[in-house]
Amino acid sequence: MKWALIFGASGDIGSKVAEDLADAGWSLYLHYYQNREKIDEISQKLTKKHPKQDFITLQYDMTDADNISKICDSIFGKLNAVVFSEGTTYYGLFSELSPNNLDMMITMQLRTPLRIVQSLQDKLAESEFGRIVFVGSVYGGAGSAMEVGYSTVKGALSAFSRAYAKEVASLGITVNVIAPGAVDTQMNKIFSESEKADIDAEIPIGRFASPDEISYWVLVLLSEKAGYLTGQTLYATGGWLK
Ligand SMILES: NC(=O)c1ccc[n+]([C@@H]2O[C@H](COP(=O)([O-])OP(=O)(O)OC[C@H]3O[C@@H](n4cnc5c(N)ncnc54)[C@H](OP(=O)(O)O)[C@@H]3O)[C@@H](O)[C@H]2O)c1
């Protein structure tokens, strides 16, 4: 049995990754922050559909980088893969981004994930193959005005993956980033229909991605046969920006 730990499994992209991995036979640790109802619903649905696999839910606020043992000590037995699909952004000028919100974004999407990776490295190395996938963003490669802090954090995940991949390649661990453009999820509910139509018009494919168009690439990166691809950022953007 292959095991994966999915951060942000209660989110729209993370929950689709969970569903697709479960369909592919994986057992899962499903992390959530506040949405207990959604994670319970996902875990019950997956348990019913795949009674021979295990689905374990884990709660953790990733703006707290100092208590990662709360998560890491809960990982019993083997672990093949970690997927980081938690995330949030603050829309506005960088000059107006509060220090607190900047720190929260950096801690939640960079500091905590990197410390978790340090802590789980041995476990990933012990499994027959190890996989780390970050859900980054096209903004990490292209940069976005009004989301400068978010772009910085996502760009740092790509830089980290490029470097760390070289350190752990000999341990059989690959480290990659899937960087979506605009995806039709909760995160984009802030846009009105007309704002969304304006973005559609900028995207060469002409529409937002669906979560399963991102999950598809996560599953590819997690597969055993993907062992020769590491340190890369894959842009799934419908041709937008990158
Ligand atoms: N949607 C897009 O257009 C888009 C584009 C590019 C990249 N991305 C990236 O894709 C990933 C998933 O985004 P999504 O669109 O699926 O968003 P989403 O549906 O809003 O999901 C966000 C996830 O982050 C978790 N989260 C929020 N605050 C947290 C905290 N303090 N500690 C731990 N977890 C926390 C949420 O947990 P709870 O719900 O349980 O609180 C949820 O599972 C993110 O990394 C995002 O940056 C999204």
Side-chain angles (χ1 to χ4, degrees), residues 105-164:
M105 247 186 318
I106 292 172
T107 302
M108 173 185 162
Q109 293 171 89
L110 189 62
R111 206 167 144 234
T112 304
L114 267 47
R115 295 204 44 207
I116 288 170
V117 164
Q118 281 179 318
S119 177
L120 294 177
Q121 176 180 308
D122 289 349
K123 221 169 226 318
L124 290 169
E126 278 162 19
S127 64
E128 59 273 52
F129 64 99
R131 300 280 180 267
I132 300 170
V133 172
F134 295 98
V135 181
S137 165
V138 67
Y139 289 171
S144 172
M146 305 298 279
E147 292 189 65
V148 172
Y150 178 80
S151 303
T152 304
V153 166
K154 294 300 195 185
L157 289 175
S158 293
F160 170 76
S161 300
R162 266 196 307 278
Y164 182 59

Side-chain angles (χ1 to χ4, degrees), residues 10 12-13 33-35 61-62 86 150 154 181 183 185 188:
S10 50
D12 288 338
I13 294 175
Y33 168 41
Q34 288 185 307
N35 203 339
D61 177 2
M62 294 171 78
E86 80 293 344
Y150 178 80
K154 294 300 195 185
V183 190
T185 72
N188 289 316

Side-chain angles (χ1 to χ4, degrees), residues 2-3 8 21-23 30 33 56 73 78 87 91 108 119-120 125 134 136 139 149 180 188 210 236:
K2 290 175 289 188
W3 277 88
L21 281 175
D23 286 348
L30 302 164
Y33 168 41
I56 298 168
D73 293 352
K78 78 169 189 176
Y91 195 73
M108 173 185 162
S119 177
L120 294 177
F134 295 98
Y139 289 171
N188 289 316
S210 61

Side-chain angles (χ1 to χ4, degrees), residues 31-44:
H31 159 267
Y32 71 105
Y33 168 41
Q34 288 185 307
N35 203 339
R36 176 80 197 260
E37 205 180 314
K38 173 114 181 254
I39 209 79
D40 284 347
E41 188 191 304
I42 293 165
S43 127
Q44 282 160 20

Side-chain angles (χ1 to χ4, degrees), residues 63-126:
T63 61
D64 170 12
D66 297 324
N67 285 306
I68 55 160
S69 59
K70 187 177 167 197
I71 282 283
C72 298
D73 293 352
S74 311
I75 311 300
F76 305 106
K78 78 169 189 176
L79 186 69
N80 296 92
V82 187
V83 178
F84 291 95
S85 64
E86 80 293 344
T88 197
T89 186
Y90 294 96
Y91 195 73
L93 290 171
F94 185 65
S95 57
E96 292 168 8
L97 179 64
S98 75
N100 194 34
N101 286 348
L102 177 60
D103 287 352
M104 262 173 46
M105 247 186 318
I106 292 172
T107 302
M108 173 185 162
Q109 293 171 89
L110 189 62
R111 206 167 144 234
T112 304
L114 267 47
R115 295 204 44 207
I116 288 170
V117 164
Q118 281 179 318
S119 177
L120 294 177
Q121 176 180 308
D122 289 349
K123 221 169 226 318
L124 290 169
E126 278 162 19

